[in-house]
Amino acid sequence: MGNNKGISRRAVISGGVIMPLVSASAFPGDSHAAPPRKATGKKAPGSSLVHESHRVDFCIVGGGLAGMCAAISAARHGAKVALIQDRPVLGGNASSEIRMHVCGAHGENNRETGIIDEIQMENCHRNPGSNYSIWDSILYEKVRFEPNIELFLNCTCNDIEMGGNRIEAVKAWQLTTETWHRVEADLFADCSGDSILAPLSGAEFRIGREARDEFDEDIEPQEADEKTMGMTCLFQVRETASPQPYIPPSWANVYGTDDDLPNRGHNILSTNFWWMELGGEDDSIHDTERLRDELLKIAFGVWDHIKNRGDHGADNWALDWVGFLPGKRESRRYVGDHILTQNDVRAEGRFDDLVAYGGWTMDDHHPGGIRYPGKPTIFHPAPSPFGIPYRSLYSKNIDNLLFAGRNISATHAAMSATRVMATCALLGQAAGTAAAIAVRDGLSPRGVAEKRIAELKQILMDDDCYLPWNAREVPELTRRARITSGAGDGGVLINGIDRPVAGADNGIFMEPGDTVEIALRESAVIGHMRLVFDSDLNNKWLMPTYYPLDQGPRTVPGFMAKAYRIEVNNGSGGWKTAFREENGYQRLVRIPLDVRASAVRFVLEETWGDARAHVFACEIDQGNL
Ligand SMILES: Cc1cc2nc3c(=O)[nH]c(=O)nc-3n(C[C@H](O)[C@H](O)[C@H](O)COP(=O)(O)OP(=O)(O)OC[C@H]3O[C@@H](n4cnc5c(N)ncnc54)[C@H](O)[C@@H]3O)c2cc1C
């Protein structure tokens, strides 16, 4: 997959000086990094702003979980990608700057897999203390060291060049380098949450709540309005071994008694204070700075209430961190070929072009936020899972614009369920994979919907994205082979479903020493083996909202395979080891083999602690020697 159009950089005139247009990346051994900038102009360094031009296949604005997953999936499928993110860290609301833990679909075995699971397992392996800087570093490295991605951090997209109904280029200002970056691409994706490319491109969008009649949504108000869910500055607290006094700033709000926080449970062990919310009745984009000031008064005031105004069992607890960047819940939502509604959600969204799923309730916060004394949100029930169609991920009227995250084409009601970040990550992976197909075949996003939807779904499932009510087609080489295991019915390992669904486990439990053997009818070149292990789909792997003294370590699940080998047999000379893993901790593993053999087997050697490992898939595909 992919094409030959690489990232090119051209010189432009800046302040009368010809500047070489290169990225000043200096990572040792980083093959896609350009050499350091050389001063060639007449002016002294620092005497002018710099303008750089870049050309990629696919440019993404916004590096929250949706944008990250879009970038990674497109890059892994061959597209040259630029990711523009206006913060120093990736992850958006999940980053250390905002610290929302990643939620997703409710219900047994419904946790999201694909790239978001890969990130979660890396975090289980490397971040036993659930430290936010380590989490940031994992998000960073997943993008920064992905070969086909050029990452622009601290870079705000704020301008656009159009050619008719197409975006030709976007422009972004990089704060740290005083550089204007212009990025040309065939396709763009807006994963900025606020849909910055909508006002710039003229893409159709909506803001606020639909009238109940428009889509027959009974949880919506009678009249349409421009109200949204608000934003929040969160805080985190830490337990210590001794009493910790707290002196609030003079400008903090005063909540003298519990009656000043009606319907706002504030036990530090049972809430993350998400209800410290404002902005739903304001402009959730343009009023952000003013609202931040109010939100900080609220955050410091609520902690003062807990520490100093009544017994809240918090004597030994200290304020560890306060977010100065408001986390946003809702602003512009694009209009695509399909607008997902409350009734689509309630009907389980069994679309033919289902490319992602949700499963959070329709969690519709009151726009008044903390000013509203009643319940701050209503959890309207939603089925889990429910499908989300690809047609909600590209613009109705801008030909080369995709989107993913909280800004997809959905009504306010449906978005109140799709906005959680594991769902956003799945949407990003779907949009990025679609973009790679579009780039490869010269199609528009809509062209992918019309001509390549089956392939898009198959690739997503192959990349371990669960698409409810769909089964992946397993490779022909596996289908024609005989699969056996002393540990159970090997047939479930090639049924195209890689998790327990509706009472069927779809996997086997193996003890160290157990094997899964795939015997071919005749010898063939085996390209790779695809394995899927269990990353514990009932554990949400949430990052903490508070840090107690007895916080247990984050660990790789005990039934994940840790050490294993692949052996091949070509009919003469017995089994030979073709691959050995000593420290595996990922759920989806693709092992390149490129050997001719008549049989291949997976041998489990060690788990991460349990007596048995849980295995969902063991397949081989044809290769070429
Ligand atoms: C207080 C709060 C509590 C929440 N609770 C939860 C929860 O418990 N679990 C959960 O899963 N979800 C929760 N949510 C919802 C969830 O965090 C958001 O819906 C989600 O972050 C959306 O993901 P995203 O990738 O679309 O956007 P974001 O996470 O907002 O990421 C978008 C990124 O784009 C960047 N960006 C914006 N404009 C530009 C630009 N012009 N140029 C370049 N970059 C730009 C932003 O800085 C940001 O980093 C909560 C939200 C809030 C605010």
Side-chain angles (χ1 to χ4, degrees), residues 80-370:
K80 294 283 179 194
V81 174
L83 176 61
I84 302 175
Q85 159 73 341
D86 63 0
R87 310 298 308 172
V89 289
L90 291 160
N93 282 1
S95 74
S96 64
E97 289 193 318
I98 297 176
R99 304 198 184 193
M100 274 324 311
H101 49 206
V102 179
C103 294
H106 294 298
E108 224 180 313
N109 293 305
N110 278 340
R111 186 165 61 73
E112 295 73 6
T113 46
I115 294 168
I116 185 64
D117 185 78
E118 179 185 324
I119 291 170
Q120 296 281 25
M121 284 304 103
E122 197 66 49
N123 199 40
C124 285
H125 184 230
R126 301 240 308 271
N127 197 2
S130 299
N131 176 290
Y132 259 100
S133 294
I134 294 176
W135 167 251
D136 278 346
S137 75
I138 290 168
L139 300 180
Y140 166 75
E141 77 186 21
K142 284 284 167 201
V143 173
R144 180 62 188 82
F145 300 108
E146 185 66 45
N148 270 348
I149 303 178
E150 181 137 5
L151 174 63
F152 299 86
L153 288 177
N154 299 302
C155 201
T156 306
C157 175
N158 52 12
D159 202 358
I160 206 164
E161 289 171 27
M162 298 293 294
N165 286 337
R166 289 179 61 79
I167 303 173
E168 302 285 352
V170 295
K171 226 171 143 186
W173 169 251
Q174 192 166 46
L175 180 75
T176 47
T177 59
E178 294 187 355
T179 298
W180 284 106
H181 291 279
R182 177 180 176 277
V183 184
E184 266 178 48
D186 297 331
L187 290 169
F188 292 82
D190 190 334
C191 299
S192 67
D194 283 349
S195 307
I196 176 66
L197 298 185
L200 297 176
S201 68
E204 273 186 49
F205 70 91
R206 290 173 166 242
I207 200 155
R209 305 186 291 188
E210 282 76 14
R212 187 168 298 183
D213 286 352
E214 185 176 2
F215 294 100
D216 191 23
E217 295 178 308
D218 63 16
I219 69 172
E220 290 296 80
Q222 293 291 353
E223 302 289 330
D225 60 34
E226 294 184 342
K227 294 178 182 173
T228 62
M229 288 176 267
M231 57 190 84
T232 299
C233 286
L234 291 173
F235 62 69
Q236 289 197 323
V237 294
R238 186 174 292 272
E239 191 181 17
T240 70
S242 55
Q244 302 290 324
Y246 172 69
I247 303 168
S250 59
W251 42 264
N253 286 355
V254 175
Y255 302 104
T257 69
D258 284 356
D259 292 342
D260 294 329
L261 293 169
N263 283 304
R264 274 39 179 197
H266 46 276
N267 179 333
I268 46 183
L269 304 184
S270 60
T271 180
N272 68 349
F273 302 92
W274 55 267
W275 44 259
M276 300 187 299
E277 177 173 353
L278 278 182
E281 290 170 336
D282 304 75
D283 180 329
S284 62
I285 296 172
H286 298 105
D287 290 330
T288 304
E289 290 292 302
R290 180 176 61 74
L291 289 163
R292 186 263 332 281
D293 293 346
E294 296 307 313
L295 290 166
L296 289 175
K297 290 180 197 167
I298 294 169
F300 285 99
V302 168
W303 185 239
D304 170 51
H305 172 83
I306 290 168
K307 288 292 288 184
N308 301 323
R309 298 172 196 271
D311 182 5
H312 295 90
D315 288 353
N316 287 4
W317 289 76
L319 189 60
D320 207 37
W321 169 90
V322 179
F324 274 60
L325 180 66
K328 289 194 188 176
R329 288 185 178 80
E330 182 179 3
S331 44
R332 301 181 188 101
R333 307 183 311 274
Y334 280 103
V335 175
D337 275 358
H338 182 83
I339 299 176
L340 189 79
T341 69
Q342 173 202 305
N343 294 316
D344 290 334
V345 170
R346 288 239 169 110
E348 293 187 324
R350 295 191 185 216
F351 299 97
D352 289 343
D353 63 337
L354 176 166
V355 290
Y357 68 94
W360 193 251
T361 56
M362 287 183 274
D363 174 7
D364 189 11
H365 291 210
H366 193 282
I370 197 166

Side-chain angles (χ1 to χ4, degrees), residues 354-436:
L354 176 166
V355 290
Y357 68 94
W360 193 251
T361 56
M362 287 183 274
D363 174 7
D364 189 11
H365 291 210
H366 193 282
I370 197 166
R371 292 190 194 121
Y372 172 67
K375 288 208 164 104
T377 193
I378 301 176
F379 295 105
H380 301 281
S384 179
F386 63 83
I388 303 173
Y390 173 61
R391 284 162 299 138
S392 288
L393 306 190
Y394 62 88
S395 169
K396 189 176 172 180
N397 66 318
I398 299 297
D399 294 342
N400 59 345
L401 177 61
L402 290 137
F403 28 79
R406 65 182 168 88
N407 60 0
I408 64 165
S409 176
T411 62
H412 166 88
M415 179 272 181
S416 71
T418 60
R419 68 195 173 90
V420 285
M421 288 181 280
T423 308
C424 292
L426 294 183
L427 295 168
Q429 185 159 357
T433 307

